[in-house]
Structure formats: structure tokens, C-alpha cells
Amino acid sequence: MANVVVVGSQWGDEGKGKIVDWLSSRADVVARFQGGHNAGHTLVVDGTTYKLSLLPSGIVRGGKLSVIGNGVVLNPWAFLDEMARIKSQGVKITSDNLKIAENAALILPVHSELDGIRENREDGVKIGTTKRGIGPAYEDKVARRAIRVCDLADPDHLGDRVKNLLHHHNALRKGLGHPPFDADELTQSLLDIAPKILPFMAPVWQVLDDATKAEQKILFEGAQGTMLDIDHGTYPFVTSSNTIAGQAAAGTGMGPRALNYVLGITKAYTTRVGEGPFPTELDDAVGQRLGERGHEFGTVTGRQRRCGWFDAVMVRQAIVTGGITGIALTKLDVLDGLAELNICVGYKLDGKILKRLPAGATNQANVEPIYETMPGWQGSTRGARSWAQLPAEAVKYVRHIEELIGCPVSMVSTSPEREDVILMRDPFKAI
């Protein structure tokens, strides 16, 4: 048996929710390992749509243990709101089937306020965050002043930790022209919410180690995508955590030996939400068509996604930095009916040809895509569950993508429905 890590290989929004749900039916444990409630996964199960931001996708499946790892930053109020909403849809959530790492850092109101202040600067400069406090919470974690889940169980010292946190934040707020945050008020709000959070607290590293010893299959669920990774993405237009598969080990307390198979979720075209470079972006009727047919709106923010052609250079780079073993190609059906399809196979920059996305922000913004053109198909791929049900041109498109990115396609998703999958290789049986 293999443990499987699921990551996005583009800028997020690749359709991880459906694939994770499909895999979670074969797993015993599903563990989130980074990000916060800025992520958004949409699951369609037996006709019911679930929109998850913080809860692991396995929570909607009975008999699974869901885990929020130490690499996640947790907004306790958003967690309770989401849990109440999912419970109202008939999902059972208790301390028996959901565990939160005791050493996970908390997102507080002061973090989300700071995020909003920064994104609304007078000079117009912004990163394009969801304004949910993810970045500031990670900043405090790295600076060793964060409030963690375990601190909620230590009421005698919680006030001192809050004052230490606000020693930094109130100086920053004053410099930005905002009033100070009240330490006593924040401390009391944490004390009030602590009894609702602490029943879920656990030493997640030990929980997962016990699961491994019991030969249970673990699915590690990532959020966002490789090109939003704080180190390997299109910096500074990135998220505030490592989104690649290596973070699954650090973000749950498991060693790298626990990561057996890395599945890169990859959309059959490319999308991006928010600011930042996008070499293959289409500002034309084709881009609009992709957005409309693909329902390209953010699960969390509702923001319209930018759309463009498949970028094989970027995905190939993500496969290397993310250690991706195989890819799940999603939304193939969105390409139905297009006469021609372009695939980016390189970039031009200052008269030179590049086979990688450069690290510098200026160069990333200035690269020009080099395209290969392939014939499209007029038949439908929607709902296909075998190669025989695909038009010949669609099969050629998938096979050519494999060649260009240097990685096998393990599965193809042909609709939002969970079972509409063409499976070539089951990741849980890959070793």
C-alpha cells in the first residue's frame, strides 16, 4: 500500500477537490498539511455540493479520519462556521473523526485586518490575497510570536502571549495609521472559543504514526498550487506557505519516507486568480469561452479566474520541484468543440528561448509563450470513463501532454461528477 500526496501543479484551482474525494474513498486518513481557509475545494457527492475551505475533503466520507496538520494556519472562528455549515448538510463531525494539530498556529482578527490594510494601499500595490490573514499569521509563526492551538489550553499564560503578539502588531498598526488592538478583548475572545476547539486538539504526528503502524492508507491533501509556492512560485504573487509535496512531511510531522506517491492535479488548460504573471493568458473569445464552460470562479472568493492555454513548461517545472509521480488531468471536457488547441512549449525572452520559467518577477512578466498547435475535437469527452469513449484527437492531446511534461497521466477527469474518471494507474497501488 502507498500513501498519496495530492498537490496542484499550476496556480491552484485545478480541480483537487473532486480528485481528493475520489481518492479519499480509498484512504483511511485524509490530512491537510498547509494553507488555511483561503483554499477552496468543491465536492459533488451523490448530487450534493460541499464547499470546503479548511476541513479536509475526507470529512464528507463516513469512516475516515480527517486531520488538520501543524503546517496549516487555523482561524478558529472560520473553522467553527465551516463545521456548522457542513454539519447542516448532514455530515457527522466529532473529535473522533477530526483532529487538529496541537502545534498549529492560529489566525486571529488582527491578522485578517492587517491583510486587508496591506491589500488596500493608497499606491495600489497589492499581491492579490484573499484578505483572510493567512500571510500575517505565517509571518508571526516564523517570528516565534504566534498563538498556537495548544496555547488555548493554557489560560494562565495566554494573556501574556497575546500581549507579546500585539507588541509587534500595534506598533505596525500605528505606523499604518490604525488604532491599537485591545489585548484583553482578544484574550477573552480566545478564552471564549477555546472550549469549542480544544476537544479536537491532538498530537497529529503521533496520530499519523499510529495510522502508519496500523497499515492504514494516508492521503495528504495540499491547497493552492506549485506555482503559488513561497519558494518555487511566481514570487511575490504567491501564497505564504510551501505548497509542494515536501511540505506534506513537515506540515504533518511525518518523515519523507511516508510520502510514497505524489499526484499532481493538472487542468487541461491554465487558470489563475488574482495578480501576477500568466504567460499563456487569453484576453479574447477563447479565454472567455474557457471561463464560461469551466465555471471559472473562485470557490472562496467568487473572483473570476483568468484563463489561458496549457503551459507545458510551467507544469514540467512543477513536476520537478514538487517530486510529482503522475498527474491527474482535469476538465478535459471544457476543451470540447474547439477547432484548434495551443500548448506552450517554451518562452521567448530578450531574443532567447527558455525552457523554464525564470525566477525574477520582471522576467516572468515579460516572457512570451512559444506555442505548438494541435487539432481540437468536435465530439464530447464529458462523462467519459474509458479511453474508447474519447475522440481520437482528445487522446492525442493527452498523450502529447505526457511527452511534453515528462510525466505519465495517471487519471483523466471528464466532468465534476466523482466517478467520471478514466483511471490508468491507482496511486494507492502504485508501489
Side-chain angles (χ1 to χ4, degrees), residues 11 277-281 311 314 344 347 357 364 367-369 371:
W11 280 295
F278 187 170
T280 65
E281 184 172 10
D311 191 334
M314 184 178 73
C344 177
Y347 304 123
L357 188 64
Q364 287 177 353
V367 296
E368 299 178 20
Y371 288 121

Side-chain angles (χ1 to χ4, degrees), residues 277-313:
F278 187 170
T280 65
E281 184 172 10
L282 294 170
D283 294 316
D284 59 12
V286 176
Q288 183 176 352
R289 173 193 171 106
L290 293 175
E292 291 173 353
R293 286 179 57 87
H295 304 288
E296 297 296 353
F297 295 92
T299 300
V300 170
T301 63
R303 290 183 295 179
Q304 186 172 355
R305 297 173 186 143
R306 302 151 64 190
C307 297
W309 295 119
F310 186 85
D311 191 334
V313 181

Side-chain angles (χ1 to χ4, degrees), residues 393-416:
E393 294 82 3
V395 174
K396 291 178 182 177
Y397 181 75
V398 175
R399 292 306 188 195
H400 193 45
I401 282 177
E402 282 185 315
E403 295 172 1
L404 292 172
I405 64 177
C407 186
V409 174
S410 296
M411 59 179 69
V412 178
S413 171
T414 57
S415 91

